[in-house]
Amino acid sequence: MLQTVQNKISSFYQATIIKRPATILVGLFILTVVAILGMPNFKLDASADSLTLEHDTTIDYFREINQRYQRGDFLVVTYSPKADMFSDESINTLKNLRDELAKVEGVQSVNSMIDVPLIYSPMRSLADQQKSTRTLLTPDVDRAQAKQEFLTSPIYRNMLLSPDGKTTALLMNLDVNNHSIELVRKRDALRAKRDAESLTKEEQAELKQVSAEYLKLRTEAAAVDSQRVEVVRGIAEKYRGNAEIFLGGVTMITSDMLTYIKSDLVVFGAVLVVFIILVLAIIFRQWRFIILPLLTCLTSVALMLGWLSWIDWRLTVISSNFVALLLIMAFAFTIYVVVRYREIHAKHPEWEQADLVMATVRAMVEPCLFSALTTIVAFMSLVMSGIRPVIDFGWMMTIGLTVAFILSFVVVPAGLMLLKKGEPKDRGDKSAKLTLPFSRIAEFHGGTVLGVTVLAVVVSVYGLSKLEVENRFIDYFHSDSEIYRGLSVIDKQLGGTATLEIILDAPKAAEPAASSDASATQEEDPFAEADNKAADATGSDNKAAGEDDPFGEAPTPGGEPKAKRVNSYWFTTGGLDQIKQLHDYLESLPEVGKVQSLAITYQVAHDINGGKLNDFELGVMRNALSRDIQDILIAPYLSDEKQQARITLRVKETTPNLRRAELVERIGRYAINDVKLQPDQVHFTGMLTLYNNMLASLFESQIKTIFVVFISIVLMMLALFRSFSIALIAIFPNILAAGIVLGGMGLAGIPMDMMTTTIAAIVVGVGVDQSIQYIYRFKEEFAACGNYIESMHRSHASIGRAMFYSSATIVIGFSILALSQFIPSIYFGVLTSFAMFTAIIGTLTLLPKLILMFKPLGPEHAV
């Protein structure tokens, strides 16, 4: 049965590729042109969606909280004037900069030290605070006193002015796209239901429609965000003569990441193409063997990029390496085919071209197929990572490798059929002199090889015990980049960069009724009485609250007006005391910078009142505060309707030995054990939480992927060689290479990240490719001579040459990633290059030594 299928495939191949090569190549050319026509639709993605865990429910909660409190993205501009910060020159420059930034499209508001209300400069009564708001621009303000407020007041310290008084920040609050949040939450809910159970036809249609609408909206928003960043950069540039200015914020980082991806695609692709041409020219020195492999590589990339463009499948920071890797893998396939063709041609110069090509295909299709399958398995294992960009990378490489394998047996053979066979040029080259010494090492120094192997295993195991996933986002960028410098200034001088939010739900037993039933509420909750009396004290009544009292019909944090405020547990002395206790603890932590919560409001109320307030006085104070002060002190941190309080803090990324997961756990334990909150009352969200969830999955992902790769490749080896011992022998040098690089990372203190987590699976999958080629050829040589040592030397002199070519290309190709502007890409390239170098050394020394030791092909025999 199997033989019949093979015969049919062989007949079909001869009838098409061998007999109609021109037709096949023309058809392939047309298909490539169609693919290329889609490339204008090619898009990149560096959004937060592309850097989070798949099915991470915390991201939905993160979006829900952002929508509830209307806190969206922002841009930060740091301003360090050459003149004194509080001089007329610096303040006027800051005002002009603020005014220009406020006019940028999509900017909701700009908060700076010249905009925020001054509470302590000097301290004024509530009545005075309500009558007028004083800022740094108020004519009679004492600037020295204002400076002290910015440095020491609970509201502004570690936020607007650096401790040395030389740097301030302008916070550009961007419009919240509520429609986008609603769409993505609906999309994720439908996806979760689809994966958990099933969707009806109507729900399937809705999911498709919502996904398309959200993707379109996100694409438009990304373009607007990128343009906004460039506008802000242009504005900042005009003021750099008078001050040092840096730009920060998520949208700025996203914009720059897109620039990095584009740069990496162009640089890696161009350098690799030049490198491939040089290698082919040096090795083969024939135009046909330069052009055909190069066409195979370029066509593989063109078809894949075109297809990705047509279906709008976007590259991310992780999958931006896809083009470089596909070029390298496609090149390796073509090298094996060309080297074998030249060997057969040199051995049988009298054969017809069709016979030479078919002999080459028959000899190489099976080992190349299994080599491709093992590499595909390695990349398929990444689908289990749970991290969306890694999953996409795995699928893209899986499909790309399939295309590259097919084209290696289409373009090169069909191209050769259109050319005369010419005289054989393969007279043996100097590369055999480079590979044969390794076979002599295996023969005469096998003990040393085994000793080094044992030492490598011990060191690798020790290094693996030191491997960590904790890393700092700031270290993803070069120290001279604007992202790094801006983040560094904000982190060290303006209260930290990584945002963490703690959401506190009121205890269920303490949830008060809404104030619509005034009489009942007043009996149960003194805060309700405070609201009513405060309204009377300020000269307003319930009927005219919207006319006389701007807070009688105050908007919720979500922006929807409510006729009556729902009384909140958290705006009572009991709730505020708990918040203050947790707030004070957070400020005591060395990793934490700026902390903001209702505890600041509580402290300000104490300071204004000259002592502690009761619930009634808190209600009076809340209604007496002006709207702009309420917007700063209350609205971002309290949801009356949801009975919820919000604490925001920024973690200092530059803190030595920062441990995010441990920090969150410590805070949670303190909130439960010391503040006496219930576990279901305390929730964490924010970018730090999302990032931490992703990091926490890396170790589990690494274990899963290596296990899947190991089992799958062993099974494929069994199918190919029908020997369990050969399967284990073949995979061991590559498992060792992966262990060495991961152990080396642990010893060097290099943490795992989204990119380096893919190294082990790739090294094993690609490295086994070399082992399969070597063992396959060893079996042929052993069948021909019956002697293990002679078979080893013959294999090193033949397939060892192709292994040398492809390995040199892979090692140098991955090293090219060191040109990236993204540090994880550099680590990925250099470490993978080192691992592949280790793998080829193991394949040329340890693998043959293991074969000589265990003799898995049976006893030697005379031929």
Side-chain angles (χ1 to χ4, degrees):
M1 178 67 179
L2 180 61
Q3 187 62 45
T4 302
V5 172
Q6 290 177 339
N7 290 336
K8 287 184 178 180
I9 293 174
S10 178
S11 299
F12 175 77
Y13 189 87
Q14 291 185 67
T16 52
I17 307 299
I18 304 301
K19 293 184 179 180
R20 297 179 177 82
T23 303
I24 295 299
L25 290 178
V26 169
L28 181 60
F29 174 76
I30 294 172
L31 184 62
T32 305
V33 170
V34 172
I36 291 173
L37 290 176
M39 286 191 185
N41 300 320
F42 179 72
K43 297 182 182 70
L44 304 171
D45 187 6
S47 65
D49 274 2
S50 70
L51 298 173
T52 54
L53 280 177
E54 188 81 341
H55 305 307
D56 185 0
T57 56
T58 58
I59 193 170
D60 183 67
Y61 187 68
F62 171 73
R63 291 170 179 141
E64 177 187 343
I65 294 301
N66 278 349
Q67 189 173 30
R68 180 173 301 160
Y69 292 93
Q70 288 296 285
R71 303 297 158 185
D73 287 335
F74 57 85
L75 286 170
V76 178
V77 177
T78 66
Y79 172 77
S80 305
K82 295 177 181 178
D84 180 77
M85 177 65 74
F86 289 85
S87 66
D88 288 341
E89 177 188 352
S90 297
I91 290 177
N92 287 333
T93 303
L94 180 61
K95 180 179 181 300
N96 293 334
L97 175 59
R98 186 277 314 269
D99 290 344
E100 286 202 57
L101 294 176
K103 296 176 183 177
V104 175
E105 184 180 355
V107 175
Q108 188 181 75
S109 63
V110 178
N111 291 338
S112 70
M113 69 178 195
I114 62 175
D115 301 294
V116 295
L118 297 174
I119 309 295
Y120 294 85
S121 304
M123 178 68 70
R124 298 187 297 155
S125 67
L126 282 175
D128 290 338
Q129 297 281 5
Q130 191 177 39
K131 287 178 183 177
S132 64
T133 300
R134 294 167 63 82
T135 69
L136 193 59
L137 297 181
T138 303
D140 61 342
V141 162
D142 185 330
R143 291 182 182 176
Q145 199 173 39
K147 179 179 180 180
Q148 286 305 307
E149 177 168 351
F150 292 134
L151 291 173
T152 62
S153 79
I155 308 174
Y156 303 127
R157 68 170 176 261
N158 294 327
M159 184 172 75
L160 288 177
L161 190 64
S162 62
D164 61 8
K166 295 181 179 180
T167 301
T168 188
L170 297 93
L171 179 66
M172 302 170 62
N173 298 301
L174 306 181
D175 293 332
V176 179
N177 194 328
N178 289 300
H179 181 52
S180 177
I181 295 175
E182 290 165 2
L183 284 174
V184 70
R185 293 189 67 195
K186 184 182 293 185
R187 182 204 66 181
D188 289 352
L190 289 169
R191 283 180 175 178
K193 183 179 179 182
R194 177 196 61 191
D195 296 338
E197 38 187 285
S198 62
L199 298 178
T200 64
K201 289 185 178 180
E202 292 76 14
E203 288 173 329
Q204 291 175 358
E206 184 182 17
L207 175 58
K208 183 177 180 181
Q209 183 267 327
V210 168
S211 298
E213 186 178 353
Y214 172 68
L215 187 61
K216 179 182 178 182
L217 199 63
R218 197 177 77 186
T219 302
E220 294 170 352
V224 171
D225 289 344
S226 181
Q227 184 179 10
R228 182 189 301 116
V229 169
E230 292 308 310
V231 171
V232 172
R233 279 204 171 105
I235 293 172
E237 190 61 36
K238 295 189 294 185
Y239 293 89
R240 285 205 164 101
N242 299 320
E244 184 178 50
I245 297 177
F246 293 114
L247 183 61
V250 174
T251 55
M252 172 264 191
I253 294 173
T254 300
S255 176
D256 281 8
M257 293 279 276
L258 289 173
T259 302
Y260 291 169
I261 296 174
K262 292 175 184 176
S263 173
D264 286 353
L265 281 172
V266 174
V267 172
F268 297 164
V271 173
L272 268 175
V273 168
V274 172
F275 173 71
I276 287 172
I277 293 172
L278 289 176
V279 170
L280 292 171
I282 293 171
I283 294 173
F284 301 125
R285 302 183 183 183
Q286 286 183 277
W287 280 109
R288 66 179 62 189
F289 297 125
I290 297 173
I291 294 174
L292 293 178
L294 183 63
L295 280 177
T296 303
C297 297
L298 294 179
T299 304
S300 300
V301 171
L303 287 174
M304 281 302 300
L305 287 181
W307 177 65
L308 293 176
S309 301
W310 278 114
I311 66 171
D312 199 15
W313 194 355
R314 305 176 185 193
L315 294 189
T316 65
V317 174
I318 309 301
S319 54
S320 62
N321 297 323
F322 159 77
V323 171
L325 295 182
L326 186 56
L327 283 171
I328 293 170
M329 297 296 103
F331 179 73
F333 289 138
T334 59
I335 283 290
Y336 289 125
V337 174
V338 170
V339 168
R340 194 56 180 265
Y341 171 84
R342 284 163 60 90
E343 287 179 359
I344 295 174
H345 190 193
K347 188 175 181 179
H348 303 284
E350 74 283 1
W351 285 10
E352 297 295 327
Q353 181 75 306
D355 297 327
L356 292 173
V357 172
M358 278 304 300
T360 301
V361 171
R362 289 193 182 101
M364 295 309 300
V365 69
E366 188 173 5
C368 282
L369 173 62
F370 277 90
S371 295
L373 288 175
T374 57
T375 309
I376 285 171
V377 164
F379 284 105
M380 275 291 291
S381 69
L382 301 180
V383 174
M384 300 178 60
S385 72
I387 304 170
R388 171 45 57 187
V390 177
I391 294 171
D392 286 347
F393 180 48
W395 278 116
M396 288 177 184
M397 285 304 303
T398 296
I399 300 168
L401 284 167
T402 304
V403 172
F405 169 76
I406 293 172
L407 290 182
S408 297
F409 288 90
V410 172
V411 176
V412 174
L416 288 172
M417 288 304 302
L418 294 177
L419 301 170
K420 295 180 179 179
K421 66 177 183 177
E423 294 297 319
K425 301 290 184 180
D426 188 15
R427 305 300 182 188
D429 56 35
K430 295 180 180 180
S431 64
K433 296 180 180 179
L434 294 174
T435 56
L436 283 173
F438 291 103
S439 64
R440 287 192 284 271
I441 290 173
E443 181 181 4
F444 298 110
H445 304 284
T448 303
V449 171
L450 295 176
V452 170
T453 300
V454 172
L455 179 62
V457 170
V458 172
V459 173
S460 297
V461 170
Y462 176 74
L464 284 169
S465 68
K466 301 289 184 181
L467 188 61
E468 296 183 344
V469 297
E470 192 70 51
N471 54 68
R472 306 187 309 175
F473 186 72
I474 193 172
D475 291 334
Y476 285 4
F477 309 97
H478 288 290
S479 59
D480 60 348
S481 67
E482 184 178 12
I483 291 180
Y484 186 98
R485 296 169 72 190
L487 288 175
S488 182
V489 169
I490 296 169
D491 199 73
K492 294 177 180 178
Q493 301 183 42
L494 296 168
T497 50
T499 57
L500 175 65
E501 299 182 22
I502 305 171
I503 307 300
L504 304 178
D505 291 332
K508 293 180 180 179
E511 290 182 1
S515 59
S516 56
D517 187 347
S519 60
T521 305
Q522 288 171 19
E523 293 176 5
E524 297 174 8
D525 185 8
F527 182 63
E529 183 181 357
D531 277 346
N532 293 333
K533 291 186 178 181
D536 292 337
T538 52
S540 61
D541 56 35
N542 292 334
K543 294 181 180 179
E547 299 173 8
D548 299 327
D549 180 7
F551 303 105
E553 195 174 56
T556 65
E560 295 181 4
K562 297 289 183 182
K564 295 291 183 183
R565 182 194 300 137
V566 179
N567 306 304
S568 175
Y569 163 80
W570 294 112
F571 214 82
T572 64
T573 54
L576 288 169
D577 282 338
Q578 287 182 302
I579 292 174
K580 186 178 187 305
Q581 183 181 353
L582 182 54
H583 182 109
D584 292 344
Y585 170 74
L586 295 172
E587 288 194 325
S588 71
L589 299 175
E591 307 98 323
V592 174
K594 182 61 179 176
V595 183
Q596 295 173 283
S597 72
L598 289 175
I600 292 176
T601 311
Y602 201 25
Q603 181 63 53
V604 171
H606 284 190
D607 293 342
I608 293 176
N609 193 56
K612 188 171 182 178
L613 290 79
N614 57 37
D615 291 345
F616 170 73
E617 291 168 326
L618 282 171
V620 174
M621 183 275 296
R622 181 174 184 179
N623 282 276
L625 288 176
S626 60
R627 182 180 293 274
D628 51 358
I629 294 178
Q630 283 214 29
D631 288 343
I632 292 176
L633 295 182
I634 298 178
Y637 313 111
L638 179 66
S639 173
D640 292 301
E641 183 181 0
K642 297 294 182 179
Q643 289 294 307
Q644 197 173 75
R646 174 172 174 258
I647 301 175
T648 68
L649 59 110
R650 284 184 277 145
V651 175
K652 297 179 180 178
E653 282 262 307
T654 52
T655 302
N657 302 316
L658 174 64
R659 297 287 185 273
R660 294 179 184 83
E662 293 178 12
L663 174 63
V664 174
E665 287 176 9
R666 267 187 288 145
I667 295 172
R669 284 197 303 268
Y670 184 86
I672 294 167
N673 298 332
D674 294 80
V675 185
K676 306 303 181 184
L677 296 170
Q678 296 300 312
D680 61 353
Q681 287 184 259
V682 184
H683 310 279
F684 293 94
T685 186
M687 292 304 296
L688 185 141
T689 303
L690 300 179
Y691 185 65
N692 194 56
N693 289 347
M694 183 271 293
L695 290 180
S697 75
L698 292 183
F699 256 130
E700 181 183 355
S701 168
Q702 188 74 89
I703 294 170
K704 282 182 179 179
T705 54
I706 292 179
F707 179 77
V708 169
V709 168
F710 178 81
I711 297 299
S712 301
I713 290 178
V714 167
L715 292 176
M716 276 190 278
M717 293 287 194
L718 285 172
L720 178 60
F721 297 119
R722 306 290 196 276
S723 169
F724 187 70
S725 59
I726 290 180
L728 293 181
I729 288 171
I731 199 171
F732 179 72
N734 302 287
I735 290 288
L736 179 61
I740 287 173
V741 72
L742 291 178
M745 288 172 61
L747 292 173
I750 301 173
M752 289 179 62
D753 55 43
M754 285 189 297
M755 298 197 68
T756 54
T757 191
T758 65
I759 291 177
I762 292 173
V763 169
V764 174
V766 177
V768 168
D769 173 9
Q770 312 277 5
S771 297
I772 289 175
Q773 298 289 345
Y774 183 85
I775 293 175
Y776 201 87
R777 187 56 177 263
F778 194 102
K779 287 183 65 178
E780 289 183 358
E781 299 296 346
F782 185 76
C785 70
N787 183 276
Y788 277 97
I789 291 179
E790 185 178 349
S791 298
M792 176 182 67
H793 291 307
R794 287 186 178 185
S795 298
H796 273 67
S798 54
I799 194 63
R801 294 161 54 200
M803 290 166 59
F804 171 77
Y805 298 150
S806 62
S807 296
T809 305
I810 290 172
V811 169
I812 297 175
F814 276 106
S815 299
I816 291 172
L817 298 181
L819 300 174
S820 176
Q821 298 181 67
F822 192 52
I823 300 297
S825 289
I826 296 175
Y827 278 141
F828 173 76
V830 173
L831 292 172
T832 306
S833 179
F834 172 71
M836 293 308 303
F837 174 78
T838 305
I840 187 60
I841 296 298
T843 303
L844 292 175
T845 55
L846 179 59
L847 177 61
K849 177 58 184 176
L850 293 175
I851 293 175
L852 296 181
M853 284 178 61
F854 294 103
K855 295 182 169 51
L857 301 180
E860 294 184 346
H861 57 274
V863 177

